[in-house]
Amino acid sequence: MTGKRVAWYFIAFFGFIAAVNAVMMTLAIRTHSGTVTDHPYEKGLAYNQVVEAENAQAALGWQGEIRYADDLIVFILKDKNGTTITPDNAKATFTRPTQSGIDFSVELQGEQTPVTFSAKGIWHVRVDAVVGDKNFQQSKRIVVE
């Protein structure tokens, strides 16, 4: 091999790497909205309130169970003695970690509530339940097939 030929191989190799990087950057910029969370400044200021709420929930000793099967979301809440608690109201919020704009919420009706998803795949479900003056929150990732 001549020196010119080796030089062209080096140029071609690095040109190929630059082209692949350009394609990947273009795809990343076009497909990501840039929004990680809405109102980040306000959420940052409210961080101490979030910590206090987590500590209050932990002190209750309640345990929640979230399941998804057969187009039903199941939420069961138990106190520290294992007795089932019926929330005054409970809401499940479903968010898609990889896609914005299709998130939705459902008011839970008893232990089982029918749910229809607009897309298959991984979803994040967060249940917010209220019992009297106490709040309970639990999150789980589910797979919709």
Side-chain angles (χ1 to χ4, degrees):
M1 276 192 199
T2 66
K4 286 185 180 182
R5 191 177 214 180
V6 171
W8 280 113
Y9 283 145
F10 272 105
I11 292 170
F13 173 75
F14 287 110
F16 175 75
I17 297 296
V20 169
N21 285 340
V23 168
M24 297 302 278
M25 286 188 305
T26 301
L27 289 174
I29 290 169
R30 287 187 182 169
T31 59
H32 182 58
S33 66
T35 302
V36 175
T37 185
D38 293 329
H39 311 293
Y41 180 72
E42 291 82 2
K43 286 183 179 181
L45 291 177
Y47 180 73
N48 288 338
Q49 294 171 346
V50 171
V51 171
E52 288 173 12
E54 287 177 356
N55 291 338
Q57 178 173 316
L60 292 173
W62 292 356
Q63 297 294 317
E65 179 184 351
I66 300 171
R67 289 191 317 262
Y68 173 74
D70 301 324
D71 295 331
L72 293 172
I73 190 74
V74 177
F75 176 66
I76 300 170
L77 182 60
K78 295 185 179 185
D79 66 10
K80 60 183 170 185
N81 298 321
T83 306
T84 301
I85 302 171
T86 303
D88 298 333
N89 61 40
K91 180 174 88 171
T93 303
F94 299 91
T95 56
R96 184 75 186 239
T98 59
Q99 186 177 6
S100 62
I102 59 173
D103 303 343
F104 65 99
S105 296
V106 173
E107 292 293 328
L108 299 180
Q109 306 152 357
E111 289 184 0
Q112 297 183 357
T113 304
V115 179
T116 303
F117 291 90
S118 60
K120 295 181 180 183
I122 295 176
W123 286 80
H124 183 85
V125 58
R126 185 177 105 189
V127 174
D128 294 295
V130 177
V131 179
D133 63 342
K134 297 175 177 69
N135 296 315
F136 181 84
Q137 175 183 304
Q138 184 174 1
S139 298
K140 183 176 183 177
R141 282 205 171 180
I142 59 173
V143 177
V144 176
E145 297 177 348

